[in-house]
């Protein structure tokens, strides 16, 4: 009989982080959340995208030093060390989103919106750098707020790797990535059983598509529930929620099962932990039947997915 592989996993939603809030204070909040996850019997906790700071791409910076101050050059570092120690003490691994500055031997700098998987020995066993960067590379005149991820971050250069972790296969993505089916399928093709992700999603998006709160939340869950079901994977999604520096971000952090059902959801827009028992084999049935990739995928008809970016209308 197949071994039951069951993990207790948590999502740690975070309330707003002020522009003036020190990393020291933010890490204190995160440690409290990790302790709560541990009390709930968890061995893995997911923190949001850019968890250590406010969502800094909402501003345009004249001063390069100020911009670079939001980035981490080393991980772990003097601020985050305590998180890594906590993982060891509590036997609780984690997913952490942060801004990463990488400098090569010639002093050339690259900037990434990054997430890592940390195990219960306090070791980084996986890294992902956000690929679908939303927003603009120049400030938008007259906008209520900026979203300058395209200006401040390089497109991730690690692909969508999956990792053997805690007895299962784990993948990662970050915020806007979750809206793209390609991400889920590339992870699905590596047999992921858990996808961890963090997000910062303004309630009112600047394209005017989601003026209604309901629609922002609906789209948030829609894409993740579809990704879960179509690839037979658990999804653990952590928001940075609430009104941060005047911008309202949705919460709705959740745990989604491989059937696409939401089995746990945060009720607040503040620091909050939810936990679920997650049978890593629960997606097997889906992956062996309706989404048996080997049996049903027809790759000779999927070429445009990788050869073409924009839509080309038929010319008849
Ligand atoms: N952080 C992030 O990726 N947020 C986007 C919204 C961007 S609106 C310009 C998201 O997909 O939620």
């Amino acid at each position: 009989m197949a071994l039951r592989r069951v993990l207790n996993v948590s999502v740690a939603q975070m309330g707003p982080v002020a522009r003036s809030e020190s990393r020291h204070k933010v890490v204190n909040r995160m440690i409290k959340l990790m302790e709560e996850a541990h009390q709930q019997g968890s061995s893995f906790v997911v923190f949001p995208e850019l968890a250590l700071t406010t969502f800094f791409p909402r501003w345009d910076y004249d001063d390069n030093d100020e911009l670079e101050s939001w980035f981490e050059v080393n991980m772990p570092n003097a601020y985050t060390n305590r998180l890594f120690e906590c993982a060891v003490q509590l036997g609780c691994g984690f997913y952490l989103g942060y801004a990463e500055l990488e400098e090569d031997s010639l002093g050339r700098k690259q900037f990434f919106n990054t997430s890592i998987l940390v195990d219960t020995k306090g070791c980084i066993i996986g890294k992902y750098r956000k690929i679908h960067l939303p927003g603009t590379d120049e400030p938008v005149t007259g906008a209520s707020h900026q979203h300058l991820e395209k200006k401040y971050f390089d497109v991730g250069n690690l692909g969508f790797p999956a990792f053997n972790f805690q007895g299962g296969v784990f993948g990662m993505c970050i915020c806007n990535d979750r809206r793209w089916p390609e991400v889920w399928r590339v992870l699905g093709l590596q047999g992921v059983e858990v996808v961890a992700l963090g997000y910062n999603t303004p309630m009112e998006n600047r394209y005017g598509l989601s003026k209604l709160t309901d629609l922002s939340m609906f789209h948030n869950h829609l894409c993740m529930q579809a990704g879960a079901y179509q690839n037979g994977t658990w999804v653990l999604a952590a928001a940075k929620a609430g009104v941060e520096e005047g911008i309202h971000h949705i919460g709705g952090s959740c745990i989604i099962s491989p059937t696409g059902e939401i089995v746990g959801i945060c009720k607040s827009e503040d620091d909050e932990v939810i936990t679920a028992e997650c049978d890593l084999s629960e997606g097997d049935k889906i992956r062996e039947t309706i989404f048996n990739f080997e049996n049903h995928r027809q790759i000779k008809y999927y070429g445009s997915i990788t050869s073409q970016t924009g839509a080309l209308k038929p010319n008849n």
Side-chain angles (χ1 to χ4, degrees):
M1 204 168 80
L3 213 63
R4 249 188 116 225
R5 296 175 299 131
V6 177
L7 284 182
N8 271 1
V9 294
S10 296
V11 162
Q13 177 172 284
M14 292 175 70
V17 173
R19 188 169 182 166
S20 60
E21 196 165 337
S22 68
R23 284 175 177 69
H24 182 77
K25 280 201 175 144
V26 176
V27 169
N28 283 347
R29 282 168 60 182
M30 295 170 80
I31 286 178
K32 205 160 157 255
L33 289 165
M34 209 194 278
E35 285 168 351
E36 246 176 272
H38 173 66
Q39 277 156 17
Q40 292 175 19
S42 219
S43 65
F44 180 64
V45 60
V46 178
F47 292 113
E49 172 192 35
L50 301 176
L52 301 170
T53 64
T54 197
F55 189 76
F56 65 87
R58 71 167 66 91
W59 294 290
D60 194 19
Y61 302 92
D62 299 326
D63 178 355
N64 213 41
D65 287 348
E66 188 186 4
L67 173 62
E68 289 194 10
S69 73
W70 298 115
F71 287 78
E72 317 299 320
V73 177
N74 299 304
M75 187 59 66
N77 58 34
Y79 297 107
T80 55
N81 241 333
R82 287 182 302 136
L83 276 177
F84 285 70
E85 284 162 11
C86 204
V88 179
Q89 276 160 19
L90 302 178
C92 187
F94 62 90
Y95 163 110
L96 170 69
Y98 65 99
E100 177 192 13
L101 196 173
E102 187 179 65
E103 194 167 346
D104 69 17
S105 54
L106 299 172
R108 287 176 301 213
K109 292 176 180 174
Q110 282 195 290
F111 301 84
F112 298 106
N113 187 339
T114 294
S115 63
I116 48 172
L117 276 182
V118 177
D119 70 11
T120 54
K121 290 190 178 113
C123 297
I124 297 174
I125 66 101
K127 181 182 275 192
Y128 168 69
R129 289 168 170 163
K130 186 174 181 178
I131 287 179
H132 296 94
L133 299 171
T136 53
D137 56 8
E138 286 299 332
V140 174
T141 317
S144 60
H145 63 280
Q146 302 298 332
H147 196 113
L148 292 166
E149 283 195 62
K150 281 194 192 298
K151 178 170 181 184
Y152 300 141
F153 296 117
D154 293 296
V155 172
N157 57 3
L158 301 176
F160 297 100
F163 304 92
N164 290 312
F165 183 71
Q166 297 206 343
V169 182
F170 279 57
M172 292 183 272
C173 66
I174 302 177
C175 196
N176 189 253
D177 284 322
R178 76 196 187 288
R179 302 188 193 275
W180 297 87
E182 294 87 346
V183 174
W184 296 100
R185 186 46 46 87
V186 172
L187 288 170
L189 285 167
Q190 296 168 83
V192 282
E193 295 167 320
V194 179
V195 175
L197 70 96
Y199 59 97
N200 282 267
T201 298
M203 186 97 64
E204 255 190 57
N205 92 17
R206 295 182 310 125
Y207 309 120
L209 287 175
S210 307
K211 280 234 147 80
L212 299 171
T213 312
D214 286 359
L215 223 44
S216 297
M217 193 60 89
F218 169 68
H219 289 153
N220 173 40
H221 290 144
L222 176 72
C223 54
M224 296 193 291
Q225 289 180 261
Y229 165 60
Q230 290 169 347
N231 295 281
T233 181
W234 289 89
V235 178
L236 313 176
K240 176 116 74 56
V243 181
E244 189 180 271
E245 298 294 343
I247 305 298
H248 196 170
H249 288 235
I250 61 167
S253 303
C254 57
I255 299 175
I256 302 170
S257 76
T259 49
E261 293 160 283
I262 296 177
V263 297
I265 185 160
C266 286
K267 303 276 187 295
S268 75
E269 289 187 345
D270 218 324
D271 291 9
E272 181 180 344
V273 176
I274 50 168
T275 299
E277 189 185 83
C278 153
D279 181 345
L280 294 174
S281 303
E282 202 168 314
D284 289 357
K285 191 86 186 151
I286 287 178
R287 277 182 270 116
E288 284 160 11
T289 56
I290 182 93
F291 289 116
N292 184 322
F293 295 162
E294 190 62 41
N295 281 357
H296 303 305
R297 294 185 78 244
Q298 300 294 343
I299 55 173
K300 83 173 170 179
Y301 297 109
Y302 303 158
S304 54
I305 299 265
T306 54
S307 65
Q308 189 182 317
T309 41
L312 292 175
K313 293 201 169 142
N315 55 10
N316 58 345

